[in-house]
Every structure is written in C-alpha cells, then in structure tokens.
Amino acid sequence: PISGKVGFFQHIPGEYIVAMDEKSSLRNERTHIGIENAKMKVLFKQIAGFVARRIVAPISVGDTAVAGERFGMIKFGSRVDILVPKNSDLKVKLGDKTVAGETIIAVVS
C-alpha cells in the first residue's frame, strides 16, 4: 500500500472460517505486515479464508516495499484489511471493487 521498509511481520496460525465474517480477522490464519516510511506507518493483514487456507508472503522485516508491487498472495475468498492513519482521506467506500496494485485506497494529508 505504501513504499518504505517492512518494519513488522508476524504470521499467526488460526482457523479458516469464511473470510468476510467479522470474526475472521481475529480467528483465521493471517499475517500482519507493517510498512513504514518518513511520513507514516501502515499495517495490513492478509486473512486466509475457508477455501484458500494458505498465505504466501515472501517478505521479511528490513525488506524494501514499493507501492503497487506484489508482496504476497492469498486466493479464493480471502481478504486484506488495511489500517491507515486517522488523518487519511479515504478514496473508496463500502462496496467498491478494488484492484490490487491499482486502486488508491486513501491519501494521507
């Protein structure tokens, strides 16, 4: 979601309930990835769903991340949650379709 250094990476084993269930972000297998640059820190979660049951994230703390580039993959009904700073100007709304590496989610003031 942003260019910077990977400052945090954690893999959390878990269940495989349907990814769109609100409990999946706490119970399913997931990775938490934090990227930071001079302006901000962003945390995102890759959450495995009932069908996918697998997360591939070949990055580590200290790696360089580039906005829009692929950093890993989850498929088939999985999801990604992105936590942005409070002062962000959201560019998407509930129900919008997004495209990985193309859709601008938010702009930080």
Side-chain angles (χ1 to χ4, degrees):
I2 64 170
S3 295
K5 290 282 184 198
V6 177
F8 181 79
F9 182 91
Q10 180 181 25
H11 174 262
I12 301 161
E15 299 175 55
Y16 298 101
I17 59 178
V18 176
M20 292 306 132
D21 186 304
E22 69 179 57
K23 295 176 187 171
S24 69
S25 67
L26 298 173
R27 294 175 42 187
N28 281 19
E29 177 184 356
R30 60 202 179 276
T31 60
H32 293 182
I33 302 168
I35 300 175
E36 52 193 71
N37 62 28
K39 292 183 175 181
M40 72 187 94
K41 294 180 181 179
V42 173
L43 177 74
F44 56 99
K45 304 176 191 179
Q46 295 174 299
I47 303 167
F50 178 73
V51 177
R53 297 182 178 241
R54 187 162 176 249
I55 298 171
V56 177
I59 61 172
S60 311
V61 171
D63 286 354
T64 299
V66 177
E69 285 192 1
R70 183 173 285 178
F71 58 85
M73 186 182 302
I74 49 177
K75 301 183 195 179
F76 305 119
S78 298
R79 80 182 212 210
V80 175
D81 293 350
I82 303 172
L83 289 73
V84 297
K86 285 184 180 181
N87 62 335
S88 299
D89 177 20
L90 297 179
K91 299 297 183 185
V92 294
K93 62 186 179 310
L94 187 61
D96 283 355
K97 295 203 182 281
T98 59
V99 177
E102 293 181 18
T103 305
I104 296 174
I105 304 295
V107 175
V108 178
S109 315

XYZ file of all heavy atoms in Angstrom:
828
model
N 0.794 -1.220 0.000
C 0.000 0.000 0.000
C 0.836 1.286 0.000
O 0.386 2.302 -0.471
C -0.845 -0.091 1.250
C -0.310 -1.230 2.046
C 0.602 -2.005 1.176
N 2.045 1.242 0.549
C 2.958 2.390 0.503
C 4.365 1.878 0.227
O 4.665 0.710 0.459
C 2.966 3.214 1.811
C 3.497 2.384 2.998
C 1.596 3.803 2.097
C 3.761 3.192 4.256
N 5.230 2.776 -0.238
C 6.640 2.424 -0.387
C 7.341 2.694 0.937
O 7.010 3.650 1.639
C 7.282 3.266 -1.486
O 6.710 2.951 -2.734
N 8.279 1.853 1.294
C 9.023 2.016 2.536
C 9.707 0.726 2.931
O 9.891 -0.178 2.114
N 10.052 0.620 4.183
C 10.697 -0.573 4.731
C 9.676 -1.404 5.491
O 8.794 -0.867 6.176
C 11.813 -0.193 5.710
C 13.016 0.426 5.059
C 13.877 -0.627 4.423
C 15.139 0.002 3.863
N 15.805 -0.810 2.916
N 9.808 -2.721 5.389
C 8.977 -3.610 6.189
C 9.540 -3.540 7.608
O 10.682 -3.915 7.851
C 9.004 -5.054 5.649
C 8.196 -5.977 6.552
C 8.492 -5.097 4.220
N 8.732 -3.009 8.524
C 9.173 -2.850 9.907
C 8.584 -3.883 10.838
O 9.004 -4.004 11.987
N 7.582 -4.634 10.338
C 6.910 -5.617 11.196
C 6.366 -6.730 10.314
O 5.804 -6.465 9.249
C 5.754 -4.940 11.948
C 5.017 -5.848 12.883
C 5.544 -6.158 14.127
C 3.804 -6.396 12.519
C 4.853 -6.996 15.000
C 3.111 -7.235 13.374
C 3.646 -7.533 14.622
N 6.532 -7.958 10.751
C 5.958 -9.108 10.054
C 5.644 -10.176 11.089
O 6.504 -10.538 11.896
C 6.919 -9.684 9.013
C 6.314 -10.835 8.245
C 5.622 -10.601 7.070
C 6.404 -12.129 8.717
C 5.042 -11.658 6.373
C 5.821 -13.187 8.038
C 5.143 -12.939 6.851
N 4.407 -10.648 11.078
C 4.009 -11.700 12.010
C 3.033 -12.641 11.312
O 2.032 -12.191 10.737
C 3.352 -11.084 13.246
C 2.905 -12.096 14.270
C 2.224 -11.453 15.471
O 1.677 -10.371 15.370
N 2.273 -12.116 16.594
N 3.315 -13.937 11.364
C 2.381 -14.954 10.853
C 1.648 -15.527 12.057
O 2.268 -15.883 13.056
C 3.119 -16.075 10.119
C 2.201 -17.179 9.711
N 2.050 -18.331 10.439
C 1.343 -17.286 8.669
C 1.161 -19.103 9.855
N 0.717 -18.487 8.774
N 0.325 -15.609 11.952
C -0.496 -16.105 13.054
C -1.313 -17.285 12.545
O -2.172 -17.118 11.668
C -1.434 -14.998 13.574
C -0.604 -13.803 14.046
C -2.328 -15.521 14.689
C -1.365 -12.519 14.144
N -1.041 -18.490 13.046
C -1.860 -19.635 12.647
C -3.283 -19.464 13.193
O -3.489 -18.737 14.161
C -1.170 -20.836 13.289
C -0.081 -20.320 14.130
C -0.017 -18.832 13.994
N -4.238 -20.124 12.570
C -5.602 -19.998 13.072
C -6.578 -20.864 12.324
O -6.205 -21.803 11.634
N -7.829 -20.490 12.440
C -8.924 -21.227 11.822
C -9.097 -20.796 10.366
O -8.339 -19.972 9.855
C -10.219 -20.945 12.596
C -10.160 -21.377 14.050
C -11.415 -20.968 14.795
O -12.523 -21.328 14.335
O -11.288 -20.281 15.812
N -10.133 -21.332 9.732
C -10.424 -20.999 8.334
C -11.918 -20.790 8.159
O -12.551 -21.443 7.348
C -9.911 -22.092 7.402
C -8.427 -22.261 7.491
C -7.876 -23.307 8.221
C -7.574 -21.359 6.872
C -6.505 -23.450 8.317
C -6.202 -21.494 6.972
C -5.678 -22.542 7.699
O -4.323 -22.671 7.800
N -12.473 -19.850 8.928
C -13.882 -19.524 8.723
C -13.974 -18.595 7.506
O -12.961 -18.082 7.036
C -14.525 -18.896 9.986
C -13.802 -17.618 10.415
C -14.569 -19.894 11.119
C -14.431 -16.923 11.621
N -15.158 -18.366 6.999
C -15.351 -17.536 5.815
C -14.714 -16.165 6.064
O -14.975 -15.522 7.075
C -16.860 -17.385 5.501
C -17.082 -16.447 4.334
C -17.468 -18.743 5.224
N -13.872 -15.707 5.138
C -13.067 -14.502 5.331
C -13.900 -13.241 5.529
O -13.445 -12.300 6.180
C -12.101 -14.320 4.172
N -15.099 -13.187 4.990
C -15.914 -11.979 5.136
C -16.606 -11.903 6.498
O -17.172 -10.873 6.843
C -16.957 -11.888 4.012
C -16.325 -11.649 2.654
S -15.241 -10.198 2.665
C -13.807 -10.866 1.864
N -16.555 -12.966 7.280
C -17.089 -12.945 8.647
C -16.213 -12.015 9.477
O -14.992 -12.090 9.419
C -17.067 -14.359 9.223
C -17.738 -14.457 10.577
O -17.320 -13.719 11.494
O -18.646 -15.281 10.731
N -16.822 -11.111 10.242
C -16.025 -10.147 11.008
C -15.079 -10.818 12.001
O -14.036 -10.266 12.341
C -16.910 -9.127 11.714
C -17.739 -9.687 12.848
C -18.590 -8.632 13.527
O -19.388 -7.987 12.827
O -18.455 -8.462 14.737
N -15.382 -12.020 12.450
C -14.520 -12.737 13.396
C -13.257 -13.293 12.733
O -12.299 -13.632 13.408
C -15.292 -13.883 14.049
C -16.441 -13.424 14.909
C -17.223 -14.600 15.440
C -18.466 -14.114 16.166
N -19.355 -15.209 16.521
N -13.249 -13.373 11.408
C -12.103 -13.966 10.716
C -10.818 -13.166 10.933
O -9.728 -13.731 10.954
C -12.379 -14.115 9.218
O -12.427 -12.854 8.584
N -10.919 -11.853 11.124
C -9.712 -11.052 11.318
C -9.045 -11.328 12.654
O -7.893 -10.958 12.862
C -10.014 -9.561 11.170
O -10.836 -9.114 12.224
N -9.742 -11.993 13.542
C -9.167 -12.375 14.841
C -8.918 -13.870 14.959
O -8.090 -14.290 15.762
C -10.097 -11.943 15.984
C -10.356 -10.447 16.112
C -11.418 -10.183 17.163
C -9.065 -9.726 16.457
N -9.642 -14.684 14.176
C -9.573 -16.136 14.361
C -8.867 -16.899 13.247
O -8.338 -17.981 13.484
C -10.990 -16.682 14.534
C -11.623 -16.178 15.823
C -13.051 -16.582 16.015
N -13.353 -17.947 15.663
C -14.581 -18.446 15.642
N -15.604 -17.684 15.941
N -14.795 -19.685 15.308
N -8.870 -16.364 12.019
C -8.301 -17.107 10.894
C -6.779 -16.997 10.844
O -6.190 -16.084 11.420
C -8.865 -16.593 9.573
C -10.247 -17.134 9.296
O -10.932 -17.602 10.182
N -10.670 -17.047 8.046
N -6.166 -17.912 10.076
C -4.743 -17.777 9.770
C -4.552 -16.436 9.079
O -5.336 -16.042 8.221
C -4.257 -18.885 8.851
C -2.796 -18.705 8.488
C -2.273 -19.726 7.492
O -3.007 -20.649 7.104
O -1.110 -19.585 7.103
N -3.486 -15.706 9.469
C -3.267 -14.387 8.886
C -1.824 -13.954 9.070
O -1.098 -14.508 9.886
C -4.205 -13.354 9.504
C -4.025 -13.205 11.010
C -5.284 -12.612 11.644
N -5.167 -12.487 13.080
C -5.404 -13.464 13.952
N -5.761 -14.655 13.526
N -5.284 -13.254 15.248
N -1.426 -12.963 8.295
C -0.154 -12.287 8.515
C -0.458 -10.828 8.786
O -1.411 -10.268 8.234
C 0.789 -12.381 7.296
O 0.162 -11.788 6.172
C 1.186 -13.809 7.005
N 0.328 -10.243 9.664
C 0.277 -8.803 9.913
C 1.587 -8.245 9.378
O 2.662 -8.713 9.756
C 0.161 -8.498 11.404
C -1.131 -8.923 12.002
N -1.445 -8.693 13.310
C -2.208 -9.568 11.480
C -2.643 -9.166 13.582
N -3.130 -9.711 12.479
N 1.491 -7.249 8.497
C 2.671 -6.675 7.855
C 2.621 -5.163 8.049
O 1.620 -4.527 7.710
C 2.716 -7.028 6.361
C 2.709 -8.548 6.185
C 3.940 -6.393 5.699
C 2.472 -9.024 4.766
N 3.691 -4.620 8.597
C 3.785 -3.182 8.804
C 4.856 -2.593 7.899
O 5.972 -3.103 7.851
N 4.491 -1.554 7.164
C 5.444 -0.843 6.307
C 5.515 0.593 6.804
O 4.494 1.193 7.148
C 5.010 -0.882 4.833
C 4.920 -2.328 4.343
C 5.982 -0.082 3.965
C 4.393 -2.477 2.934
N 6.741 1.121 6.853
C 6.903 2.489 7.325
C 7.832 3.261 6.401
O 8.726 2.688 5.774
C 7.430 2.506 8.749
C 8.678 1.670 8.965
C 8.986 1.451 10.431
O 8.238 0.682 11.077
O 9.959 2.060 10.910
N 7.563 4.564 6.308
C 8.461 5.464 5.585
C 8.569 6.747 6.403
O 8.095 6.796 7.542
C 7.999 5.689 4.138
C 6.649 6.338 4.019
O 6.210 7.096 4.882
N 5.951 6.048 2.924
N 9.159 7.778 5.855
C 9.383 9.013 6.605
C 8.078 9.694 7.025
O 8.050 10.419 8.010
C 10.228 9.980 5.779
N 6.978 9.444 6.293
C 5.709 10.114 6.570
C 4.760 9.332 7.463
O 3.968 9.911 8.193
C 4.974 10.413 5.262
C 5.620 11.449 4.397
C 4.735 11.685 3.191
C 5.275 12.796 2.337
N 4.407 13.052 1.184
N 4.775 8.000 7.364
C 3.726 7.228 8.037
C 4.095 5.763 8.216
O 5.075 5.276 7.668
C 2.440 7.309 7.239
C 2.479 6.501 5.944
S 1.061 6.748 4.904
C 1.697 8.029 3.859
N 3.229 5.103 8.969
C 3.269 3.651 9.119
C 1.900 3.126 8.710
O 0.880 3.730 9.029
C 3.527 3.251 10.566
C 4.880 3.638 11.079
C 5.030 3.200 12.529
C 6.381 3.598 13.073
N 6.525 3.191 14.474
N 1.898 2.002 7.993
C 0.658 1.353 7.600
C 0.758 -0.117 7.974
O 1.792 -0.757 7.761
C 0.410 1.491 6.075
C -0.783 0.669 5.634
C 0.204 2.953 5.702
N -0.308 -0.643 8.553
C -0.367 -2.064 8.895
C -1.453 -2.692 8.043
O -2.530 -2.115 7.875
C -0.708 -2.249 10.379
C -0.876 -3.697 10.834
C 0.487 -4.386 10.920
C -1.589 -3.773 12.165
N -1.175 -3.849 7.484
C -2.230 -4.569 6.788
C -2.184 -6.031 7.169
O -1.175 -6.554 7.616
C -2.200 -4.363 5.274
C -0.908 -4.706 4.594
C -0.756 -5.913 3.958
C 0.143 -3.809 4.579
C 0.428 -6.226 3.315
C 1.325 -4.107 3.938
C 1.471 -5.324 3.304
N -3.337 -6.671 7.037
C -3.495 -8.078 7.402
C -3.936 -8.863 6.172
O -4.889 -8.474 5.509
C -4.581 -8.249 8.469
C -4.393 -7.469 9.723
C -5.614 -7.689 10.616
C -5.652 -6.747 11.771
N -6.859 -6.989 12.595
N -3.236 -9.950 5.888
C -3.686 -10.901 4.876
C -4.422 -11.976 5.651
O -3.839 -12.620 6.530
C -2.514 -11.533 4.152
C -1.690 -10.586 3.323
C -0.474 -11.298 2.764
O 0.354 -11.783 3.513
N -0.377 -11.361 1.451
N -5.684 -12.197 5.348
C -6.507 -13.137 6.109
C -6.951 -14.275 5.197
O -7.636 -14.052 4.196
C -7.734 -12.416 6.704
C -7.262 -11.243 7.578
C -8.593 -13.388 7.498
C -8.356 -10.281 7.955
N -6.554 -15.492 5.544
C -6.927 -16.670 4.755
C -8.386 -17.008 4.992
O -8.886 -16.914 6.109
C -6.051 -17.863 5.122
N -9.064 -17.405 3.940
C -10.476 -17.761 4.037
C -10.692 -19.264 4.075
O -9.744 -20.051 4.130
N -11.933 -19.649 4.020
C -12.341 -21.046 4.112
C -11.773 -21.893 2.984
O -11.377 -23.033 3.185
C -13.879 -21.118 4.111
C -14.418 -22.511 4.155
C -14.342 -23.252 5.311
C -15.000 -23.073 3.031
C -14.838 -24.551 5.353
C -15.497 -24.373 3.062
C -15.416 -25.105 4.231
N -11.704 -21.340 1.777
C -11.244 -22.102 0.620
C -9.724 -22.016 0.454
O -9.060 -23.018 0.220
C -11.948 -21.629 -0.674
C -11.420 -22.366 -1.885
C -13.454 -21.828 -0.556
N -9.154 -20.826 0.580
C -7.727 -20.631 0.291
C -6.833 -21.413 1.239
O -5.949 -22.151 0.812
C -7.367 -19.147 0.352
N -7.012 -21.189 2.544
C -6.253 -21.881 3.575
C -4.746 -21.772 3.429
O -4.007 -22.611 3.927
C -6.649 -23.350 3.647
C -8.080 -23.524 4.046
C -8.449 -24.988 4.173
N -9.818 -25.100 4.602
C -10.197 -25.674 5.723
N -9.317 -26.181 6.539
N -11.467 -25.734 6.039
N -4.279 -20.737 2.735
C -2.837 -20.592 2.564
C -2.504 -19.146 2.220
O -3.163 -18.525 1.402
C -2.339 -21.497 1.445
C -0.846 -21.511 1.337
C -0.400 -22.730 0.534
N 1.036 -22.657 0.377
C 1.646 -22.430 -0.765
N 0.957 -22.272 -1.859
N 2.954 -22.379 -0.817
N -1.465 -18.649 2.871
C -0.973 -17.304 2.608
C 0.476 -17.431 2.177
O 1.259 -18.128 2.808
C -1.057 -16.420 3.867
C -2.510 -16.271 4.325
C -0.421 -15.061 3.609
C -2.658 -15.610 5.672
N 0.826 -16.757 1.096
C 2.219 -16.706 0.645
C 2.656 -15.249 0.771
O 2.074 -14.377 0.140
C 2.350 -17.167 -0.827
C 3.783 -17.048 -1.290
C 1.832 -18.592 -0.978
N 3.653 -14.995 1.610
C 4.153 -13.626 1.800
C 5.670 -13.698 1.933
O 6.202 -13.721 3.032
C 3.520 -12.997 3.034
N 6.379 -13.725 0.806
C 7.831 -13.896 0.840
C 8.582 -12.590 1.125
O 9.452 -12.180 0.379
C 8.140 -14.427 -0.556
C 7.095 -13.794 -1.418
C 5.863 -13.697 -0.553
N 8.197 -11.903 2.210
C 8.904 -10.696 2.626
C 9.293 -10.819 4.088
O 8.731 -11.635 4.820
C 8.058 -9.421 2.401
C 6.767 -9.474 3.211
C 7.750 -9.217 0.935
C 5.995 -8.183 3.196
N 10.243 -10.004 4.507
C 10.750 -10.049 5.880
C 10.996 -8.641 6.380
O 11.122 -7.699 5.589
C 12.089 -10.797 5.946
O 12.049 -12.014 5.293
N 11.125 -8.519 7.691
C 11.489 -7.242 8.295
C 12.800 -6.775 7.675
O 13.739 -7.554 7.497
C 11.617 -7.380 9.827
C 12.215 -6.120 10.438
C 10.257 -7.679 10.441
N 12.844 -5.516 7.295
C 14.031 -4.940 6.666
C 13.958 -4.865 5.157
O 14.705 -4.115 4.532
N 13.061 -5.645 4.545
C 12.910 -5.597 3.084
C 12.331 -4.249 2.657
O 11.638 -3.579 3.428
C 11.966 -6.701 2.589
C 12.573 -8.079 2.625
O 13.769 -8.200 2.931
O 11.831 -9.050 2.364
N 12.601 -3.866 1.427
C 12.021 -2.657 0.844
C 10.725 -3.023 0.148
O 10.673 -3.985 -0.615
C 13.005 -2.026 -0.165
O 14.200 -1.676 0.524
C 12.408 -0.786 -0.801
N 9.688 -2.245 0.421
C 8.393 -2.434 -0.235
C 8.155 -1.268 -1.184
O 8.515 -0.136 -0.876
C 7.288 -2.489 0.811
N 7.561 -1.534 -2.325
C 7.241 -0.498 -3.304
C 5.731 -0.524 -3.531
O 5.165 -1.577 -3.854
C 8.004 -0.733 -4.631
C 7.609 0.311 -5.661
C 9.504 -0.723 -4.391
N 5.090 0.633 -3.358
C 3.640 0.729 -3.538
C 3.233 0.167 -4.890
O 3.832 0.471 -5.907
C 3.189 2.182 -3.422
N 2.219 -0.696 -4.887
C 1.701 -1.268 -6.123
C 2.347 -2.566 -6.554
O 1.830 -3.245 -7.425
N 3.487 -2.919 -5.948
C 4.136 -4.185 -6.310
C 3.588 -5.330 -5.464
O 3.179 -5.139 -4.327
C 5.655 -4.088 -6.118
C 6.321 -3.277 -7.192
C 7.841 -3.412 -7.173
O 8.395 -4.155 -6.336
O 8.475 -2.760 -8.006
N 3.618 -6.517 -6.022
C 3.142 -7.707 -5.332
C 4.087 -8.060 -4.184
O 5.286 -8.076 -4.349
C 3.063 -8.877 -6.311
C 2.513 -10.141 -5.683
C 2.299 -11.201 -6.712
N 1.088 -10.816 -7.459
C 0.604 -11.491 -8.479
N 1.220 -12.549 -8.912
N -0.485 -11.097 -9.082
N 3.516 -8.358 -3.038
C 4.307 -8.746 -1.870
C 3.916 -10.112 -1.360
O 4.532 -10.644 -0.461
C 4.146 -7.720 -0.740
C 2.715 -7.557 -0.313
C 2.148 -8.408 0.617
C 1.931 -6.577 -0.874
C 0.823 -8.279 0.983
C 0.604 -6.432 -0.513
C 0.052 -7.293 0.426
N 2.892 -10.691 -1.918
C 2.423 -11.991 -1.478
C 1.103 -12.295 -2.160
O 0.642 -11.542 -3.012
N 0.489 -13.421 -1.762
C -0.748 -13.813 -2.416
C -1.614 -14.651 -1.482
O -1.118 -15.499 -0.749
C -0.434 -14.628 -3.666
C -1.660 -14.950 -4.474
S -1.299 -15.954 -5.936
C -0.141 -14.920 -6.794
N -2.899 -14.372 -1.527
C -3.931 -15.211 -0.938
C -5.043 -15.266 -1.979
O -5.219 -14.335 -2.751
C -4.446 -14.672 0.418
C -4.803 -13.196 0.322
C -3.448 -14.925 1.516
C -5.378 -12.621 1.596
N -5.787 -16.359 -2.010
C -6.782 -16.509 -3.074
C -8.108 -17.022 -2.532
O -8.205 -17.452 -1.401
C -6.307 -17.538 -4.107
C -5.030 -17.251 -4.790
C -4.804 -18.358 -5.801
C -3.409 -18.399 -6.313
N -3.205 -19.465 -7.264
N -9.074 -17.028 -3.430
C -10.338 -17.737 -3.233
C -11.065 -17.333 -1.952
O -11.183 -18.105 -1.024
C -10.121 -19.245 -3.251
C -9.426 -19.737 -4.475
C -8.209 -20.385 -4.366
C -9.965 -19.539 -5.729
C -7.552 -20.848 -5.496
C -9.313 -19.990 -6.868
C -8.107 -20.654 -6.742
N -11.579 -16.133 -1.920
C -12.425 -15.720 -0.802
C -11.662 -15.250 0.414
O -12.227 -15.165 1.495
N -10.399 -14.938 0.266
C -9.631 -14.373 1.363
C -9.805 -12.865 1.338
O -10.515 -12.321 0.510
C -8.159 -14.748 1.205
O -8.023 -16.148 1.267
N -9.128 -12.173 2.271
C -9.266 -10.724 2.286
C -8.017 -10.068 2.840
O -7.194 -10.713 3.483
C -10.499 -10.304 3.064
C -10.336 -10.290 4.565
C -11.642 -9.913 5.229
N -11.405 -9.186 6.455
C -12.214 -9.231 7.488
N -13.309 -9.956 7.457
N -11.945 -8.528 8.562
N -7.911 -8.756 2.589
C -6.832 -7.953 3.141
C -7.468 -6.764 3.842
O -8.300 -6.070 3.263
C -5.868 -7.452 2.034
C -4.818 -6.513 2.619
C -5.196 -8.622 1.337
N -7.102 -6.552 5.104
C -7.521 -5.372 5.857
C -6.340 -4.414 5.894
O -5.211 -4.839 6.130
C -7.890 -5.735 7.297
C -9.136 -6.596 7.404
O -9.843 -6.781 6.399
O -9.401 -7.095 8.521
N -6.592 -3.129 5.662
C -5.532 -2.119 5.689
C -5.884 -1.096 6.765
O -6.972 -0.519 6.739
C -5.389 -1.411 4.326
C -5.126 -2.433 3.213
C -4.278 -0.360 4.383
C -5.173 -1.841 1.820
N -4.971 -0.878 7.700
C -5.161 0.116 8.748
C -4.313 1.330 8.392
O -3.097 1.209 8.245
C -4.747 -0.449 10.103
C -5.696 -1.515 10.673
C -5.585 -2.816 9.934
C -5.468 -1.702 12.137
N -4.964 2.478 8.226
C -4.279 3.702 7.810
C -4.395 4.747 8.919
O -5.269 4.650 9.784
C -4.859 4.246 6.487
C -4.642 3.263 5.346
C -6.330 4.580 6.611
N -3.536 5.773 8.897
C -3.617 6.833 9.911
C -4.986 7.525 9.907
O -5.653 7.611 8.870
C -2.511 7.808 9.501
C -1.539 6.975 8.717
C -2.391 5.965 7.993
N -5.385 8.056 11.064
C -6.683 8.719 11.202
C -6.870 9.886 10.239
O -7.979 10.167 9.817
C -6.870 9.227 12.635
C -7.180 8.169 13.624
C -7.433 8.789 14.986
C -7.755 7.723 16.002
N -8.024 8.291 17.326
N -5.796 10.589 9.913
C -5.924 11.764 9.061
C -5.956 11.418 7.574
O -5.808 12.291 6.733
C -4.793 12.758 9.344
C -3.415 12.182 9.036
O -3.213 10.972 9.056
N -2.458 13.047 8.778
N -6.196 10.163 7.243
C -6.247 9.736 5.845
C -7.552 10.166 5.178
O -8.610 10.142 5.792
C -6.127 8.211 5.747
O -4.910 7.786 6.280
N -7.457 10.545 3.914
C -8.615 10.877 3.096
C -8.975 9.622 2.303
O -8.285 9.266 1.338
C -8.254 12.035 2.158
C -9.385 12.413 1.214
O -10.558 12.071 1.506
O -9.093 13.049 0.187
N -10.029 8.923 2.728
C -10.408 7.669 2.079
C -10.931 7.926 0.670
O -11.748 8.818 0.451
C -11.453 6.934 2.905
C -10.999 6.496 4.293
C -12.146 5.802 5.025
C -9.788 5.591 4.225
N -10.473 7.119 -0.274
C -10.861 7.256 -1.676
C -11.804 6.138 -2.118
O -12.238 6.114 -3.262
C -9.616 7.263 -2.576
C -8.677 8.423 -2.278
C -9.358 9.748 -2.554
C -8.424 10.910 -2.325
N -9.104 12.191 -2.483
N -12.105 5.203 -1.232
C -13.045 4.126 -1.529
C -14.114 4.112 -0.445
O -13.919 4.646 0.642
C -12.342 2.743 -1.602
C -11.384 2.679 -2.763
C -11.649 2.409 -0.307
N -15.233 3.484 -0.772
C -16.306 3.356 0.207
C -16.785 1.905 0.236
O -16.445 1.108 -0.643
C -17.439 4.321 -0.100
C -18.125 4.097 -1.418
C -19.142 5.194 -1.698
C -19.847 5.024 -3.012
N -19.043 4.798 -4.184
N -17.538 1.569 1.234
C -18.052 0.223 1.403
C -18.745 -0.227 0.122
O -19.557 0.504 -0.452
C -19.036 0.178 2.573
C -19.544 -1.185 2.992
C -18.393 -2.081 3.441
C -20.551 -1.048 4.125
N -18.371 -1.399 -0.360
C -18.977 -1.962 -1.561
C -18.207 -1.696 -2.838
O -18.497 -2.306 -3.866
N -17.235 -0.768 -2.809
C -16.431 -0.516 -4.005
C -15.582 -1.728 -4.340
O -15.116 -2.436 -3.450
C -15.492 0.678 -3.792
C -16.189 2.020 -3.877
O -17.395 2.048 -4.197
O -15.517 3.038 -3.603
N -15.374 -1.960 -5.609
C -14.464 -3.022 -6.055
C -13.086 -2.395 -6.217
O -12.955 -1.320 -6.801
C -14.937 -3.638 -7.354
C -16.265 -4.348 -7.193
C -16.468 -5.389 -8.240
C -17.803 -6.048 -8.090
N -17.860 -7.036 -7.064
N -12.077 -3.073 -5.708
C -10.707 -2.571 -5.791
C -9.850 -3.557 -6.570
O -10.172 -4.736 -6.656
C -10.108 -2.369 -4.386
O -10.110 -3.609 -3.682
C -10.904 -1.337 -3.597
N -8.764 -3.051 -7.134
C -7.844 -3.879 -7.902
C -6.461 -3.748 -7.266
O -5.948 -2.628 -7.121
C -7.797 -3.450 -9.378
C -6.788 -4.268 -10.158
C -9.184 -3.569 -10.007
N -5.887 -4.874 -6.887
C -4.570 -4.874 -6.242
C -3.549 -4.161 -7.112
O -3.463 -4.393 -8.307
C -4.119 -6.307 -5.972
N -2.793 -3.273 -6.480
C -1.735 -2.568 -7.180
C -2.204 -1.406 -8.042
O -1.395 -0.710 -8.639
N -3.538 -1.176 -8.116
C -4.068 -0.113 -8.969
C -4.956 0.866 -8.219
O -4.852 2.074 -8.419
C -4.873 -0.707 -10.122
C -4.041 -1.490 -11.113
C -4.883 -2.051 -12.255
O -6.020 -1.566 -12.473
O -4.408 -2.965 -12.920
N -5.851 0.375 -7.380
C -6.819 1.231 -6.711
C -6.153 2.001 -5.568
O -5.510 1.407 -4.708
C -7.991 0.398 -6.136
O -8.570 -0.370 -7.196
C -9.047 1.286 -5.515
N -6.340 3.310 -5.557
C -5.867 4.134 -4.445
C -6.919 4.051 -3.349
O -8.081 4.417 -3.551
C -5.622 5.586 -4.881
C -4.489 5.607 -5.912
C -5.315 6.467 -3.671
C -4.249 6.959 -6.536
N -6.510 3.534 -2.196
C -7.426 3.328 -1.072
C -7.603 4.616 -0.268
O -8.699 4.973 0.110
C -6.895 2.208 -0.139
C -6.655 0.909 -0.910
C -7.812 2.002 1.059
C -7.883 0.259 -1.476
N -6.486 5.309 0.009
C -6.520 6.525 0.831
C -5.300 7.383 0.525
O -4.289 6.889 0.037
C -6.530 6.158 2.308
N -5.449 8.670 0.838
C -4.337 9.604 0.727
C -4.147 10.206 2.107
O -5.120 10.660 2.731
C -4.628 10.711 -0.317
C -3.524 11.754 -0.334
C -4.820 10.098 -1.695
N -2.911 10.224 2.586
C -2.619 10.778 3.901
C -2.274 12.240 3.762
O -1.432 12.614 2.930
C -1.468 10.002 4.591
C -1.140 10.625 5.931
C -1.856 8.547 4.758
N -2.948 13.088 4.518
C -2.718 14.531 4.450
C -1.390 14.911 5.072
O -0.943 14.388 6.008
C -3.819 15.283 5.194
O -5.082 14.772 4.884
